[in-house]
Amino acid sequence: MLLLHRPDPLMDADETAAALAALVKSGKVRAVGVSNFTSSQFDLLASRLPFSLATNQIELSVMKTSALTDGSLDHAQRLSYAPMIWSPLGGGSLFTGKEQREARVRAALAAVAAEIGAGDLATIAIAWLLRHPARPVPVLGSMKPERLAAMVKALDISLDREHWFAILEASEGRPVA
């Protein structure tokens, strides 16, 4: 898969689509996606392609929740593509951050982990992402096999709505209902 990383404000959608279509037709690329495109930028490029864009790689984590409200995840559901998620653990700020927000989120993740008897903070944070109906695909950046193995256990965790919203409220610092 070829991802166009970051939208170019000077992108000519027709030229870009023609180049991408040629890459796919030649067999050099099987699928094309984008990264950090807004829904309208995604739609513009998609409107010029003879195939569907495979994904939009967006930032989403318990520390960066704007995709929940900016239409990114709604767009993915509407068009039935699974968004790739970069920085699914907040670039490490979830573990190293010293602000109140990070402390609240760590406490909420720890409480959920203790209550359901599963996983460490990273595992629960990944399970939180996976709970979303847009079917997000976290891109895990760890080079440590034991960390990756722990996060894979998130696939076996199904957070209920109460736990999911408790974590979101900790991140937002306010009730979200």
Side-chain angles (χ1 to χ4, degrees):
M1 178 182 305
L2 172 70
L3 288 182
L4 290 182
H5 188 65
R6 302 229 185 258
D8 178 352
L10 298 178
M11 176 184 77
D12 179 313
D14 292 315
E15 285 180 4
T16 303
L20 294 171
L23 287 171
V24 171
K25 186 175 181 180
S26 73
K28 293 178 181 170
V29 174
R30 285 190 191 162
V32 174
V34 295
S35 181
N36 301 297
F37 274 47
T38 65
S39 298
S40 62
Q41 291 165 332
F42 184 105
D43 290 343
L44 172 61
L45 181 57
S47 75
R48 303 305 205 283
L49 290 167
F51 50 81
S52 297
L53 287 170
T55 193
N56 187 7
Q57 182 177 238
I58 59 173
E59 183 178 11
L60 176 63
S61 72
V62 295
M63 300 307 302
K64 173 75 171 169
T65 61
S66 59
L68 297 172
T69 56
D70 69 9
S72 298
L73 295 174
D74 303 330
H75 188 260
Q77 284 193 81
R78 183 170 60 82
L79 297 180
S80 299
Y81 66 85
M84 293 173 63
I85 306 302
W86 63 271
S87 199
L89 297 174
S93 68
L94 175 60
F95 309 108
T96 61
K98 308 238 186 285
E99 301 297 323
Q100 288 183 357
R101 182 179 191 198
E102 289 95 343
R104 283 193 317 266
V105 172
R106 283 192 294 267
L109 292 170
V112 169
E115 191 171 325
I116 66 174
D120 62 5
L121 299 186
T123 304
I124 300 300
I126 297 298
W128 183 85
L129 290 171
L130 295 175
R131 173 64 171 85
H132 196 277
R135 302 173 295 120
V137 178
V139 177
L140 305 175
S142 179
M143 298 297 286
K144 297 179 180 178
E146 64 276 7
R147 295 295 307 138
L148 292 171
M151 288 185 278
V152 166
K153 291 179 182 176
L155 293 168
D156 299 324
I157 297 171
S158 181
L159 295 180
D160 62 25
R161 294 176 76 83
E162 182 179 336
H163 290 133
W164 192 89
F165 276 101
I167 294 167
L168 178 61
E169 287 183 352
S171 179
E172 299 295 321
R174 61 177 174 76
V176 295

